[in-house]
Amino acid sequence: MNLKRLFGAILTILGIIGLIYAAILFVNTTGATHDIKGLVMYGLLGAVFFVSGISLIRTTKDEA
């Protein structure tokens, strides 16, 4: 297995975890400034990790 694909899979999993955590924060938010900052932070990091992981997996060619 290619190292780039493995790293892409790890990034994708971390992105999914970040997006799920942001969704949980969104459901349980009370509207405080601390809640909104956490929601934005985890949501953006999760989206960036997810998109970069998927992109890395798609652009890496198998050379076995």
Side-chain angles (χ1 to χ4, degrees), residues 1-2 5 57-64:
M1 187 170 179
N2 199 350
R5 281 189 173 261
I57 291 173
R58 290 184 66 196
T59 58
T60 304
K61 295 180 181 177
D62 278 334
E63 296 178 5

Side-chain angles (χ1 to χ4, degrees), residues 8-62:
I10 292 170
L11 281 177
T12 304
I13 291 170
L14 285 175
I16 290 171
I17 291 170
L19 289 173
I20 289 172
Y21 189 67
I24 291 171
L25 284 179
F26 179 73
V27 170
N28 294 330
T29 188
T30 59
T33 305
H34 184 267
D35 292 338
I36 294 175
K37 285 182 182 179
L39 176 66
V40 170
M41 182 181 66
Y42 289 116
L44 283 177
L45 281 177
V48 167
F49 282 7
F50 182 75
V51 169
S52 64
I54 292 294
S55 175
L56 193 59
I57 291 173
R58 290 184 66 196
T59 58
T60 304
K61 295 180 181 177
D62 278 334

